[in-house]
Amino acid sequence: MEVNLILFKKDGSTRTFHLPSTVTVIGRRKDCDLCVPLMSVSRRHCELNLDQGRLTIRDLGSKNGTFLNGAKVSESAVKPGDVLKIGTLYFGVQIDGRPENIETMRPAEVPPAAQPPQKKTVPAEDSFEDIIDEISDIDLNQTLGESSMGINP
């Protein structure tokens, strides 16, 4: 089972992250599988677990909560096409290539780009740590419109 998280950026582009293992911890700490260096994301925010062909998400006591399709969840099953909100970031869930059209998952809060969105796919051999090193705080701030201290008014 191949699971991808599609990050919807505020400029309309997307970034695809392949889940590296059966348990993926998302948070601000550098030892998380997906390290997101934003203050809106807790140190250990949530965990995605792939077990026997079933994907679940579990909040790890985050300050801002973990949301699935707009509803705050403590633990829930995740299916293709669902949208996760982690801190101020929106991720679409693609499982085994479904849904094919990722634009169907784009949240209303993240408008499409004036031109067709650019899709970046992360090679499977790259680790999340390598990817986050590539995406600096400045890049995230510019792309997502967020300061390191939270959302700008």
Side-chain angles (χ1 to χ4, degrees):
M1 191 162 155
E2 182 178 316
V3 180
N4 294 313
L5 295 181
I6 314 295
L7 171 64
F8 291 99
K9 297 181 181 182
K10 288 189 176 180
D11 68 357
S13 65
T14 61
R15 181 87 187 246
T16 301
F17 297 95
H18 178 72
L19 295 190
S21 63
T22 57
V23 177
T24 302
V25 176
I26 300 172
R28 207 172 63 234
R29 284 178 34 173
K30 290 196 183 286
D31 64 344
C32 289
D33 301 303
L34 175 51
C35 176
V36 182
L38 298 174
M39 292 303 293
S40 62
V41 176
S42 294
R43 288 178 185 94
R44 288 178 48 87
H45 197 99
C46 63
E47 172 184 278
L48 288 164
N49 189 343
L50 182 59
D51 186 32
Q52 298 178 351
R54 184 172 180 237
L55 181 66
T56 58
I57 189 163
R58 181 170 59 102
D59 186 80
L60 298 175
S62 67
K63 179 180 178 186
N64 293 322
T66 300
F67 294 81
L68 176 67
N69 299 323
K72 190 173 185 176
V73 296
S74 56
E75 187 167 354
S76 182
V78 180
K79 60 187 183 319
D82 282 348
V83 176
L84 305 175
K85 182 179 179 204
I86 300 168
T88 56
L89 303 178
Y90 290 91
F91 294 92
V93 178
Q94 188 179 47
I95 301 174
D96 293 333
R98 292 184 17 241
E100 287 182 32
N101 181 1
I102 61 172
E103 286 303 307
T104 62
M105 297 183 286
R106 182 177 296 277
E109 296 86 353
V110 184
Q115 54 189 338
Q118 300 292 316
K119 179 182 175 184
K120 284 187 175 181
T121 301
V122 179
E125 63 273 3
D126 284 353
S127 71
F128 278 117
E129 187 174 305
D130 294 336
I131 294 161
I132 294 305
D133 286 343
E134 178 187 324
I135 304 173
S136 67
D137 285 343
I138 293 170
D139 183 37
L140 280 171
N141 294 342
Q142 290 172 349
T143 303
L144 301 170
E146 181 173 317
S147 75
S148 62
M149 296 306 292
I151 300 173
N152 289 327

